[in-house]
Coordinates of all heavy atoms in Angstrom, one line a residue:
L1 N 76.5 98.4 105.4 CA 77.0 98.2 104.0 C 78.0 99.3 103.8 O 77.8 100.4 104.0 CB 75.9 98.3 102.9 CG 76.3 98.2 101.6 CD1 76.8 96.8 101.2 CD2 75.1 98.4 100.7
A2 N 79.3 98.9 103.4 CA 80.3 99.8 103.1 C 80.8 99.7 101.7 O 81.0 98.6 101.2 CB 81.4 99.6 104.1
S3 N 81.0 100.8 101.0 CA 81.6 100.9 99.7 C 82.8 101.8 99.7 O 82.6 102.9 100.2 CB 80.7 101.0 98.5 OG 79.5 101.7 98.9
V4 N 83.8 101.4 99.1 CA 85.0 102.3 99.0 C 85.3 102.6 97.6 O 85.4 101.7 96.7 CB 86.3 101.7 99.6 CG1 87.5 102.6 99.5 CG2 86.0 101.3 101.1
D5 N 85.5 103.9 97.2 CA 86.0 104.4 95.9 C 87.4 104.7 96.0 O 87.8 105.7 96.5 CB 85.1 105.6 95.5 CG 85.5 106.0 94.0 OD1 86.6 105.8 93.6 OD2 84.6 106.6 93.4
V6 N 88.3 103.7 95.5 CA 89.7 103.9 95.7 C 90.2 105.1 94.8 O 91.3 105.6 95.2 CB 90.5 102.6 95.4 CG1 90.1 101.6 96.4 CG2 90.1 102.1 94.0
T7 N 89.5 105.4 93.8 CA 89.9 106.5 92.9 C 89.9 107.8 93.6 O 90.8 108.6 93.7 CB 89.2 106.6 91.6 OG1 89.2 105.3 90.9 CG2 89.6 107.7 90.7
S8 N 88.7 108.1 94.3 CA 88.5 109.3 95.0 C 89.0 109.2 96.5 O 89.0 110.3 97.1 CB 87.0 109.7 95.0 OG 86.2 108.8 95.6
G9 N 89.1 108.0 97.0 CA 89.5 107.8 98.4 C 88.4 108.0 99.3 O 88.6 108.6 100.4
T10 N 87.2 107.7 99.0 CA 86.0 107.9 99.8 C 85.4 106.6 100.3 O 85.5 105.6 99.5 CB 85.0 108.8 99.2 OG1 84.5 108.2 98.1 CG2 85.5 110.2 98.9
I11 N 84.9 106.6 101.4 CA 84.1 105.5 101.9 C 82.7 105.9 102.2 O 82.5 107.0 102.6 CB 84.7 104.8 103.1 CG1 83.9 103.5 103.5 CG2 84.8 105.8 104.3 CD1 84.6 102.7 104.6
S12 N 81.7 105.2 101.8 CA 80.3 105.4 102.1 C 79.7 104.2 102.8 O 79.9 103.1 102.5 CB 79.5 105.7 100.8 OG 79.9 106.8 100.2
V13 N 79.0 104.5 104.0 CA 78.5 103.5 104.8 C 77.0 103.8 105.2 O 76.7 104.9 105.4 CB 79.4 103.4 106.1 CG1 78.8 102.2 107.0 CG2 80.8 103.2 105.8
R14 N 76.2 102.7 105.2 CA 74.9 102.9 105.7 C 74.5 101.7 106.5 O 74.9 100.6 106.3 CB 73.9 103.3 104.5 CG 73.7 102.1 103.6 CD 72.8 102.6 102.4 NE 72.7 101.5 101.4 CZ 71.8 100.5 101.4 NH1 70.9 100.5 102.2 NH2 71.9 99.7 100.4
R15 N 73.6 102.0 107.4 CA 73.0 101.0 108.3 C 72.0 100.2 107.4 O 71.1 100.7 106.7 CB 72.3 101.6 109.4 CG 72.4 100.8 110.7 CD 71.9 101.5 111.9 NE 71.2 102.7 111.8 CZ 69.8 102.8 111.9 NH1 69.2 101.8 112.2 NH2 69.2 104.0 111.8
V16 N 72.1 98.8 107.5 CA 71.2 98.0 106.7 C 70.2 97.3 107.6 O 69.0 97.3 107.3 CB 71.9 97.0 105.7 CG1 71.0 96.1 105.0 CG2 72.8 97.7 104.8
Q17 N 70.6 96.5 108.5 CA 69.7 95.7 109.3 C 69.9 96.0 110.8 O 68.9 95.7 111.5 CB 70.1 94.2 109.2 CG 69.7 93.6 107.8 CD 70.0 92.2 107.7 OE1 70.9 91.7 108.3 NE2 69.2 91.5 106.9
A18 N 70.9 96.7 111.2 CA 71.0 97.1 112.6 C 69.9 98.1 113.0 O 69.9 99.1 112.4 CB 72.4 97.5 112.9
E19 N 69.2 97.8 114.1 CA 68.2 98.8 114.5 C 68.9 99.8 115.4 O 69.8 99.5 116.2 CB 67.1 98.1 115.3 CG 66.3 97.1 114.5 CD 65.5 97.9 113.5 OE1 65.0 99.0 113.7 OE2 65.4 97.3 112.3
A20 N 68.4 101.1 115.3 CA 68.9 102.1 116.2 C 68.6 101.8 117.6 O 67.5 101.1 117.9 CB 68.3 103.5 115.8
Q21 N 69.4 102.1 118.6 CA 69.2 101.9 120.0 C 69.2 103.2 120.8 O 70.1 104.0 120.6 CB 70.3 100.9 120.6 CG 70.2 99.5 119.9 CD 71.2 98.5 120.5 OE1 71.6 98.7 121.7 NE2 71.6 97.6 119.7
P22 N 68.3 103.4 121.6 CA 68.3 104.7 122.4 C 69.5 104.9 123.2 O 70.0 103.9 123.9 CB 67.0 104.5 123.3 CG 66.2 103.4 122.7 CD 67.1 102.5 122.0
G23 N 70.1 106.1 123.1 CA 71.2 106.4 123.9 C 72.5 105.8 123.4 O 73.6 105.8 124.0
K24 N 72.5 105.2 122.1 CA 73.7 104.6 121.5 C 74.0 105.1 120.1 O 73.0 105.5 119.5 CB 73.5 103.1 121.6 CG 73.4 102.4 122.9 CD 74.6 102.5 123.8 CE 74.4 101.8 125.1 NZ 75.6 101.8 125.9
S25 N 75.1 105.0 119.6 CA 75.6 105.2 118.3 C 76.4 104.1 117.8 O 77.2 103.5 118.5 CB 76.4 106.5 118.2 OG 75.7 107.7 118.5
F26 N 76.3 103.9 116.5 CA 77.1 103.0 115.8 C 78.4 103.7 115.3 O 78.2 104.7 114.6 CB 76.4 102.3 114.6 CG 75.3 101.3 115.0 CD1 74.0 101.8 114.8 CD2 75.6 100.2 115.6 CE1 72.9 101.0 115.2 CE2 74.5 99.3 116.0 CZ 73.1 99.8 115.8
E27 N 79.6 103.3 115.6 CA 80.8 104.0 115.2 C 81.6 103.0 114.4 O 81.9 101.8 114.7 CB 81.6 104.4 116.4 CG 82.7 105.4 116.1 CD 83.3 106.2 117.2 OE1 82.7 106.1 118.3 OE2 84.2 107.0 117.0
L28 N 82.2 103.6 113.2 CA 83.0 102.8 112.3 C 84.4 103.0 112.6 O 84.9 104.1 112.8 CB 82.7 103.2 110.8 CG 83.4 102.4 109.7 CD1 83.1 100.9 109.7 CD2 83.1 103.1 108.4
W29 N 85.2 101.9 112.5 CA 86.7 101.9 112.8 C 87.4 101.2 111.7 O 87.0 100.3 111.1 CB 87.0 101.3 114.1 CG 86.2 101.7 115.3 CD1 84.9 101.4 115.7 CD2 86.6 102.8 116.2 NE1 84.6 102.1 116.8 CE2 85.6 103.0 117.1 CE3 87.8 103.6 116.3 CZ2 85.6 104.0 118.1 CZ3 87.8 104.5 117.2 CH2 86.7 104.7 118.2
A30 N 88.6 101.8 111.5 CA 89.5 101.1 110.6 C 90.7 100.5 111.4 O 91.2 101.2 112.3 CB 90.2 102.1 109.5
V31 N 91.0 99.3 111.2 CA 92.0 98.6 112.0 C 93.1 98.0 111.1 O 92.7 97.4 110.0 CB 91.3 97.4 112.7 CG1 92.4 96.7 113.7 CG2 90.2 98.0 113.6
G32 N 94.3 98.1 111.4 CA 95.4 97.6 110.6 C 95.8 98.6 109.5 O 95.7 99.8 109.6
D33 N 96.5 98.1 108.4 CA 97.0 98.9 107.4 C 98.0 100.0 107.9 O 97.8 101.1 107.5 CB 95.8 99.5 106.5 CG 96.2 100.1 105.3 OD1 97.3 99.6 104.7 OD2 95.7 101.1 104.8
G34 N 98.8 99.6 108.8 CA 99.8 100.5 109.4 C 99.3 101.3 110.5 O 100.1 102.1 111.1
R35 N 98.1 101.1 111.0 CA 97.6 101.9 112.1 C 98.0 101.1 113.4 O 97.7 99.9 113.5 CB 96.0 101.9 112.0 CG 95.5 102.8 110.9 CD 94.0 102.7 110.9 NE 93.4 103.5 109.7 CZ 93.5 103.1 108.4 NH1 94.0 101.9 108.1 NH2 93.0 103.9 107.5
A36 N 98.5 101.9 114.3 CA 99.0 101.3 115.7 C 97.7 100.9 116.5 O 97.7 99.9 117.3 CB 99.8 102.2 116.4
Q37 N 96.6 101.7 116.3 CA 95.4 101.6 117.1 C 94.3 101.8 116.1 O 94.4 102.4 115.0 CB 95.3 102.5 118.2 CG 96.5 102.4 119.2 CD 96.3 103.1 120.5 OE1 95.2 103.5 120.8 NE2 97.4 103.3 121.2
P38 N 93.0 101.3 116.5 CA 91.9 101.6 115.6 C 91.7 103.0 115.4 O 91.9 103.9 116.3 CB 90.7 101.0 116.4 CG 91.3 100.0 117.4 CD 92.7 100.6 117.7
E39 N 91.3 103.4 114.2 CA 91.0 104.8 113.8 C 89.5 105.1 113.6 O 89.0 104.3 112.8 CB 91.8 105.2 112.5 CG 91.4 106.5 112.0 CD 92.1 106.8 110.6 OE1 92.8 106.0 110.1 OE2 91.8 107.9 110.1
S40 N 88.9 105.9 114.3 CA 87.5 106.2 114.1 C 87.3 106.8 112.7 O 88.0 107.8 112.4 CB 86.9 107.1 115.2 OG 85.6 107.4 114.8
L41 N 86.3 106.2 111.9 CA 86.0 106.9 110.6 C 84.6 107.6 110.8 O 84.2 108.2 109.8 CB 85.9 105.7 109.6 CG 87.1 104.9 109.4 CD1 86.9 104.0 108.2 CD2 88.3 105.9 109.0
G42 N 84.0 107.6 111.9 CA 82.9 108.4 112.2 C 81.7 107.5 112.5 O 81.7 106.3 112.7
L43 N 80.6 108.3 112.9 CA 79.3 107.6 113.2 C 78.5 107.2 112.0 O 78.4 108.0 111.1 CB 78.5 108.5 114.2 CG 79.2 109.0 115.4 CD1 78.3 110.0 116.2 CD2 79.7 107.9 116.3
I44 N 77.9 106.1 112.1 CA 77.1 105.7 111.0 C 75.5 105.5 111.3 O 74.8 104.8 110.6 CB 77.6 104.4 110.3 CG1 77.6 103.2 111.4 CG2 78.9 104.6 109.7 CD1 78.0 101.9 110.8
D45 N 75.1 106.2 112.3 CA 73.7 106.2 112.6 C 72.8 106.5 111.5 O 71.8 105.8 111.2 CB 73.4 107.1 113.9 CG 74.1 106.6 115.1 OD1 74.3 105.3 115.3 OD2 74.5 107.5 115.9
E46 N 73.1 107.6 110.8 CA 72.2 108.0 109.7 C 73.0 107.9 108.3 O 72.6 108.4 107.3 CB 71.9 109.5 109.8 CG 71.1 109.7 111.1 CD 69.7 108.9 111.1 OE1 69.1 108.8 110.1 OE2 69.4 108.4 112.3
G47 N 74.1 107.2 108.3 CA 74.9 107.0 107.2 C 76.1 107.9 107.3 O 76.3 108.8 108.1
L48 N 77.2 107.5 106.5 CA 78.5 108.2 106.6 C 79.2 108.2 105.2 O 79.0 107.2 104.5 CB 79.3 107.4 107.6 CG 80.8 107.7 107.7 CD1 81.1 109.1 108.3 CD2 81.5 106.6 108.4
S49 N 79.8 109.3 104.9 CA 80.5 109.4 103.7 C 81.7 110.3 104.0 O 81.5 111.5 104.4 CB 79.7 110.0 102.5 OG 80.5 110.0 101.4
R50 N 82.9 109.8 103.7 CA 84.1 110.7 104.0 C 85.2 110.2 103.3 O 85.4 109.2 102.8 CB 84.3 110.8 105.5 CG 84.8 109.4 106.1 CD 85.3 109.6 107.5 NE 86.7 110.2 107.4 CZ 87.5 110.2 108.4 NH1 87.1 109.8 109.6 NH2 88.7 110.7 108.3
A51 N 86.3 111.1 103.2 CA 87.5 110.8 102.5 C 88.5 110.1 103.5 O 88.5 110.5 104.7 CB 88.2 112.0 102.1
V52 N 89.0 109.0 103.1 CA 89.9 108.2 104.0 C 90.8 107.3 103.1 O 90.4 106.9 102.1 CB 89.1 107.3 105.0 CG1 88.3 106.3 104.3 CG2 90.0 106.8 106.0
K53 N 92.0 107.0 103.6 CA 92.9 106.1 102.9 C 92.7 104.7 103.4 O 93.0 104.4 104.6 CB 94.4 106.5 103.1 CG 95.4 105.6 102.4 CD 96.7 106.0 102.8 CE 97.8 105.0 102.2 NZ 97.7 103.6 102.6
L54 N 92.3 103.9 102.5 CA 92.0 102.5 102.9 C 92.5 101.6 101.8 O 92.5 102.0 100.6 CB 90.5 102.1 103.1 CG 89.8 102.8 104.2 CD1 88.3 102.6 104.1 CD2 90.3 102.4 105.6
T55 N 93.1 100.5 102.1 CA 93.6 99.5 101.2 C 93.1 98.1 101.5 O 92.7 97.9 102.6 CB 95.2 99.4 101.2 OG1 95.6 99.1 102.5 CG2 95.8 100.9 100.8
P56 N 93.1 97.2 100.5 CA 92.6 95.9 100.7 C 93.4 95.3 101.9 O 94.6 95.5 102.1 CB 93.0 95.2 99.4 CG 92.9 96.2 98.4 CD 93.4 97.4 99.0
G57 N 92.7 94.6 102.8 CA 93.3 94.0 104.0 C 93.0 94.8 105.3 O 93.1 94.3 106.3
T58 N 92.5 96.1 105.0 CA 92.2 96.9 106.2 C 90.9 96.2 106.7 O 90.0 95.9 106.1 CB 91.8 98.3 105.8 OG1 93.0 98.9 105.2 CG2 91.4 99.1 107.0
V59 N 90.9 96.1 108.1 CA 89.6 95.6 108.7 C 88.7 96.8 109.1 O 89.2 97.8 109.7 CB 90.0 94.7 110.0 CG1 88.7 94.4 110.8 CG2 90.8 93.5 109.6
L60 N 87.4 96.7 108.8 CA 86.5 97.7 109.2 C 85.6 97.0 110.3 O 85.3 95.8 110.2 CB 85.5 98.0 108.1 CG 86.2 98.7 106.8 CD1 85.1 98.9 105.6 CD2 86.8 100.0 107.3
A61 N 85.5 97.8 111.4 CA 84.7 97.3 112.6 C 83.6 98.3 113.0 O 83.8 99.5 112.8 CB 85.6 97.1 113.8
V62 N 82.6 97.8 113.5 CA 81.5 98.7 114.0 C 81.3 98.4 115.4 O 81.0 97.3 115.8 CB 80.1 98.5 113.2 CG1 79.1 99.4 113.9 CG2 80.4 98.8 111.8
S63 N 81.4 99.4 116.3 CA 81.2 99.3 117.7 C 79.9 100.0 118.1 O 79.5 101.0 117.4 CB 82.4 99.7 118.5 OG 82.6 101.2 118.4
L64 N 79.4 99.6 119.3 CA 78.2 100.3 119.8 C 78.7 101.2 120.9 O 79.2 100.7 121.9 CB 77.1 99.2 120.4 CG 75.8 99.8 120.8 CD1 75.1 100.4 119.6 CD2 75.0 98.7 121.4
E65 N 78.5 102.5 120.7 CA 79.1 103.5 121.7 C 78.0 104.3 122.2 O 76.8 104.4 121.8 CB 80.1 104.4 120.9 CG 81.2 103.7 120.3 CD 82.3 103.0 121.2 OE1 82.2 103.4 122.5 OE2 82.9 102.1 120.9
P66 N 78.3 105.1 123.2 CA 77.3 106.1 123.7 C 76.9 107.1 122.7 O 77.8 107.3 121.7 CB 78.1 106.9 124.9 CG 79.2 106.0 125.2 CD 79.5 105.2 124.0
T67 N 75.8 107.7 122.7 CA 75.4 108.7 121.7 C 76.5 109.7 121.5 O 77.1 110.2 122.5 CB 74.1 109.4 122.2 OG1 73.1 108.5 122.3 CG2 73.7 110.5 121.2
G68 N 76.9 110.0 120.2 CA 77.9 110.9 119.9 C 79.2 110.2 119.7 O 80.2 110.9 119.2
G69 N 79.4 108.9 120.0 CA 80.6 108.1 119.8 C 81.4 107.9 121.0 O 81.2 108.4 122.1
S70 N 82.5 107.2 120.8 CA 83.4 106.9 121.9 C 84.0 108.1 122.6 O 84.5 109.1 122.0 CB 84.7 106.0 121.3 OG 85.5 105.9 122.3
P71 N 83.9 108.1 123.9 CA 84.4 109.3 124.6 C 86.0 109.2 124.9 O 86.6 110.1 125.3 CB 83.8 109.1 126.0 CG 83.4 107.7 126.2 CD 83.2 107.1 124.8
T72 N 86.6 108.1 124.4 CA 88.1 108.0 124.6 C 88.8 108.0 123.4 O 90.1 108.0 123.4 CB 88.4 106.6 125.3 OG1 88.0 105.5 124.4 CG2 87.6 106.5 126.5
G73 N 88.2 107.9 122.2 CA 89.0 107.9 120.9 C 89.3 106.5 120.5 O 90.0 106.2 119.4
A74 N 88.9 105.5 121.3 CA 89.1 104.0 121.0 C 87.7 103.4 121.3 O 86.9 103.9 122.0 CB 90.1 103.5 121.9
P75 N 87.5 102.2 120.6 CA 86.2 101.5 120.9 C 86.1 101.2 122.4 O 87.0 100.8 123.0 CB 86.4 100.2 120.1 CG 87.4 100.5 119.1 CD 88.4 101.5 119.7
T76 N 84.9 101.6 122.9 CA 84.6 101.2 124.3 C 83.5 100.3 124.5 O 83.4 99.6 125.5 CB 84.3 102.6 125.1 OG1 83.1 103.1 124.6 CG2 85.4 103.7 125.1
G77 N 82.6 100.3 123.5 CA 81.5 99.3 123.6 C 81.8 98.0 122.8 O 82.9 97.8 122.2
P78 N 80.8 97.2 122.7 CA 81.1 95.9 122.1 C 81.3 96.1 120.6 O 80.6 97.0 120.0 CB 79.8 95.0 122.4 CG 78.8 96.1 122.7 CD 79.5 97.2 123.4
V79 N 82.1 95.3 120.0 CA 82.3 95.4 118.5 C 81.2 94.4 118.0 O 81.2 93.2 118.3 CB 83.7 94.9 118.1 CG1 83.8 94.8 116.6 CG2 84.8 95.9 118.6
L80 N 80.3 94.9 117.2 CA 79.2 94.2 116.7 C 79.4 93.6 115.3 O 78.9 92.5 115.0 CB 78.0 95.1 116.6 CG 77.6 95.8 117.8 CD1 76.4 96.8 117.6 CD2 77.1 94.8 118.9
Y81 N 80.3 94.2 114.5 CA 80.5 93.7 113.1 C 81.9 94.0 112.7 O 82.5 95.0 113.1 CB 79.6 94.5 112.1 CG 78.0 94.5 112.5 CD1 77.5 95.5 113.1 CD2 77.3 93.3 112.2 CE1 76.2 95.5 113.4 CE2 76.0 93.3 112.5 CZ 75.4 94.5 113.2 OH 74.1 94.4 113.5
T82 N 82.5 93.0 112.0 CA 83.8 93.3 111.3 C 83.8 92.7 109.9 O 83.0 91.8 109.6 CB 85.0 92.5 112.2 OG1 84.7 91.2 112.2 CG2 85.0 93.1 113.6
G83 N 84.6 93.3 109.2 CA 84.8 92.7 107.8 C 86.1 93.3 107.2 O 86.6 94.4 107.6
T84 N 86.8 92.4 106.4 CA 88.0 92.8 105.8 C 87.8 93.4 104.4 O 87.0 92.8 103.6 CB 89.0 91.7 105.7 OG1 89.2 91.1 107.0 CG2 90.3 92.0 105.1
L85 N 88.4 94.5 104.1 CA 88.2 95.2 102.8 C 88.9 94.3 101.8 O 90.1 94.0 101.9 CB 88.8 96.5 102.9 CG 88.6 97.6 101.7 CD1 87.1 97.8 101.6 CD2 89.3 98.8 102.0
V86 N 88.2 94.0 100.7 CA 88.7 93.3 99.6 C 88.5 93.9 98.3 O 87.5 94.7 98.2 CB 88.1 91.8 99.5 CG1 88.5 91.0 100.7 CG2 86.6 91.9 99.3
K87 N 89.4 93.8 97.4 CA 89.2 94.4 96.0 C 88.2 93.4 95.2 O 88.3 92.3 95.3 CB 90.6 94.4 95.3 CG 90.5 95.1 94.0 CD 91.9 95.3 93.4 CE 91.9 96.0 92.2 NZ 93.3 96.4 91.6
T88 N 87.3 94.1 94.5 CA 86.2 93.3 93.9 C 86.5 93.2 92.4 O 85.7 92.6 91.7 CB 84.8 94.0 94.1 OG1 84.8 95.3 93.6 CG2 84.4 93.9 95.6
E89 N 87.5 93.8 91.8 CA 87.7 93.6 90.4 C 89.0 93.0 90.1 O 89.9 92.8 90.8 CB 87.5 94.8 89.6 CG 88.1 96.1 90.2 CD 88.0 97.3 89.3 OE1 86.9 98.0 89.3 OE2 89.0 97.6 88.7

C-alpha cells in the first residue's frame, strides 16, 4: 500500500499481503515521469517513508531482490507489483 503526500513530497509504503521471503527483499521503484531508468525508492520489507518527487502518471513497481536490495541499481529480480500514481481528489 503506497500513499503520497504531494504537499510534503513524501511517500509511505507498507507491505499488506506479500509474505517475507528468506534471503529476499522487496524493493520499490519509480518509473517514468522524466526518469530515463527506474529509480530505487528503497526497501519496503518493514515499511518505507521518504521524501521523493512523484507526480500523477508515475509508475510504482515492486521487485523481489536479494536481501539488501538490487546489487546493480536496477531491478534484477521479478517485478511482482505495478501501479500508476493517480490523483484522488
Side-chain angles (χ1 to χ4, degrees):
L1 176 66
S3 20
V4 177
D5 182 332
V6 293
T7 303
S8 66
T10 59
I11 184 170
S12 296
V13 183
R14 65 183 174 94
R15 211 168 20 100
V16 177
Q17 291 181 325
E19 294 295 323
Q21 297 185 25
K24 301 290 182 179
S25 290
F26 294 104
E27 190 161 356
L28 179 67
W29 304 87
V31 182
D33 192 30
R35 293 170 179 85
Q37 300 192 18
E39 174 188 357
S40 175
L41 300 181
L43 303 179
I44 56 174
D45 296 327
E46 300 301 321
L48 166 72
S49 183
R50 65 168 284 190
V52 65
K53 180 188 176 296
L54 297 172
T55 59
T58 300
V59 174
L60 298 176
V62 177
S63 64
L64 187 64
E65 300 294 340
T67 298
S70 170
T72 67
T76 61
V79 174
L80 304 175
Y81 308 99
T82 62
T84 302
L85 190 62
V86 295
K87 189 173 180 176
T88 58
E89 36 177 85

